[in-house]
Amino acid sequence: MSRIRLRDIPAVADTGRRLAGAAGGSVLFCYGLVHLLVWPGAPTGTPGERYGWDGETELLGWLPAWAVWTVGGILLAAAVLGHAVGGAGLAGLPIARRYRLAATGTGAAGSLALFAVAWPGLAPTPTEFSAGPLVSGLLLASVVATIWAQRHPPPAGI
């Protein structure tokens, strides 16, 4: 007598995929919103201290301050919107599903560029933001690996 596993039932497997997509999409969406700690910032819990970016940069230090803030705002928008659309696509939103890899890649690249521009000016200390570039780098690597695997499937014999 063969045992039927729960994951072999199509309705259960489909429900599991949908729940996993919704959970992953929610995490990706929240990660995009976390970038708002860079600008406009948030209180740390210590009186008079806030998370945020003070406008200092080494990468674009040769530009006037208004241009640095403009570049930072564009990169912040790319990071937040890219992760939001990628998360919505992963959660199953019909239009966003089609562009979830491109949106997530754009969000991760924007996030990495934002951290590169804002790194020395992050307050209270830049090391408190060190998980951000790591997560964005892993997301970008996984997007590139997924696209590569889709374009180069394994041979049929494997």
Side-chain angles (χ1 to χ4, degrees):
M1 174 189 274
S2 66
R3 277 182 51 178
I4 295 176
R5 288 185 254 167
L6 218 51
R7 67 176 182 224
D8 294 336
I9 301 170
V12 173
D14 187 49
T15 302
R17 276 192 297 275
R18 287 176 188 252
L19 286 174
S26 298
V27 169
L28 193 58
F29 181 77
C30 289
Y31 179 64
L33 292 180
V34 164
H35 286 81
L36 295 175
L37 286 176
V38 174
W39 182 27
T44 63
T46 304
E49 189 175 72
R50 292 182 61 83
Y51 290 112
W53 179 39
D54 63 8
E56 181 184 335
T57 181
E58 289 180 10
L59 189 64
L60 301 176
W62 50 276
L63 288 174
W66 65 268
V68 171
W69 281 102
T70 302
V71 169
I74 290 169
L75 293 173
L76 177 68
V80 172
L81 292 175
H83 287 108
V85 171
L90 189 59
L93 188 68
I95 296 172
R97 266 193 337 222
R98 188 174 195 185
Y99 303 106
R100 70 180 183 261
L101 283 176
T104 303
T106 301
S111 174
L112 286 171
L114 176 65
F115 282 114
V117 167
W119 190 258
L122 292 172
T125 61
T127 55
E128 293 187 10
F129 293 86
S130 60
L134 294 174
V135 172
S136 294
L138 288 172
L139 277 172
L140 188 59
S142 65
V143 165
V144 169
T146 302
I147 291 171
W148 186 84
Q150 287 176 348
R151 292 190 180 167
H152 305 286
I158 296 179

